[in-house]
């Protein structure tokens, strides 16, 4: 941990405050008419997601926490447990599907992910921004909708339903965004 001044707190930093880990969401410099200037920071608790607004004066110091980011490979799912392998030392780590959340459906065998750790405790996981998936079922094209941008519903190999352009048919491989589960483009 390193000490930083209250006026050096920036969005994206992870700090320790009141004995808990907080991610800085946004900051704003405030110069009131009376009294000294301060930084208003919106903090989000890393463990439980609660939010807090805190004021930091430039004379105060804050403990900045450096998270370790390590590459892991997704191996398999067993019930509600997901098994990942550290690509450096080949040790395995199990995480619950709740930890990964809705993005669990994008995990594929052998997929490389980045896990953020603090004192060897997982705090977050980053998946690739896009994944390639096959369409198993696509609605037929409705004639007469060519004047405006139209989309039709399709079901992916992982069971997800997405909206795709009319030219996409069953059996086509497409690229899907893992952030918002949206169609990006047809896979090459």
């Amino acid at each position: 941990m390193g000490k930083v001044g209250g006026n050096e707190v920036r969005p994206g930093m992870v700090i320790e405050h009141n004995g808990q880990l907080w991610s800085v969401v946004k900051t704003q410099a405030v110069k009131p008419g009376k009294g000294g200037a301060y930084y208003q920071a919106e903090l989000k608790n890393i463990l439980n997601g609660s939010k807090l607004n805190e004021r930091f004066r430039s004379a105060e110091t804050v403990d900045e926490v450096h998270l370790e980011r390590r590459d892991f490979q997704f191996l398999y799912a067993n019930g509600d447990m997901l098994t990942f392998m550290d690509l450096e030392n080949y040790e395995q780590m199990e995480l619950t599907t709740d930890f990964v959340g809705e993005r669990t459906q994008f995990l594929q065998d052998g997929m490389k992910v980045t896990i953020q750790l603090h004192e060897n405790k997982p705090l977050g996981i980053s998946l690739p921004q896009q994944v390639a998936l096959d369409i198993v079922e696509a609605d037929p094209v409705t004639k007469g909708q060519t004047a405006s941008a139209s989309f039709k519903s399709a079901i992916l190999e992982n069971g997800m339903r997405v909206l795709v352009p009319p030219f996409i048919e069953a059996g086509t491989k497409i690229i899907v965004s893992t952030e918002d589960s949206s169609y990006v483009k047809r896979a090459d």
Side-chain angles (χ1 to χ4, degrees):
M1 271 190 285
K3 298 260 188 206
V4 295
N7 60 344
E8 296 173 7
V9 174
R10 300 281 179 259
M13 290 175 96
V14 176
I15 63 170
E16 186 174 329
H17 182 66
N18 295 337
Q20 296 181 327
L21 294 179
W22 300 87
S23 175
V24 179
V25 179
K26 62 182 172 181
T27 60
Q28 179 181 359
V30 179
K31 296 177 185 174
K34 286 187 172 183
Y38 59 88
Y39 266 76
Q40 182 75 32
E42 183 179 317
L43 308 175
K44 182 177 179 185
N45 190 307
I46 289 181
L47 299 177
N48 62 24
S50 64
K51 290 196 174 183
L52 172 71
N53 283 315
E54 194 67 40
R55 292 179 179 185
F56 297 108
R57 301 217 179 265
S58 59
E60 294 179 56
T61 57
V62 180
D63 292 326
E64 181 181 10
V65 178
H66 294 285
L67 296 180
E68 181 181 1
R69 298 178 196 281
R70 284 198 301 209
D71 291 332
F72 283 78
Q73 182 178 20
F74 174 67
L75 297 179
Y76 59 89
N78 185 7
D80 66 342
M81 296 303 289
L82 305 170
T83 305
F84 297 88
M85 179 182 65
D86 190 330
L87 292 176
E88 288 180 18
N89 58 19
Y90 305 109
E91 290 181 6
Q92 292 185 3
M93 174 185 290
E94 285 191 333
L95 301 173
T96 63
T97 53
D98 291 340
F99 181 81
V100 180
E102 294 177 2
R103 297 175 301 161
T104 301
Q105 57 202 346
F106 292 116
L107 288 173
Q108 299 169 343
D109 291 343
M111 179 182 276
K112 183 178 153 190
V113 299
T114 302
I115 297 179
Q116 294 128 354
L117 303 156
H118 177 65
E119 297 174 357
N120 284 332
K121 182 180 179 194
L123 295 178
I125 185 167
S126 300
L127 272 57
Q129 289 184 332
Q130 300 174 345
V131 293
L133 295 166
D134 287 321
I135 302 258
V136 292
E137 185 181 322
D139 289 349
V141 177
T142 307
K143 294 195 185 257
Q145 289 187 345
T146 56
S148 64
S150 62
F151 287 90
K152 64 181 183 178
S153 183
I155 298 175
L156 300 172
E157 62 184 276
N158 62 2
M160 274 184 60
R161 194 175 275 280
V162 295
L163 292 174
V164 296
F167 61 85
I168 301 290
E169 298 296 328
T172 307
K173 190 178 262 312
I174 64 168
I175 305 292
V176 178
S177 168
T178 58
E179 294 295 317
D180 58 3
S181 306
S182 64
Y183 167 85
V184 177
K185 63 180 183 176
R186 188 184 341 205
D188 297 331

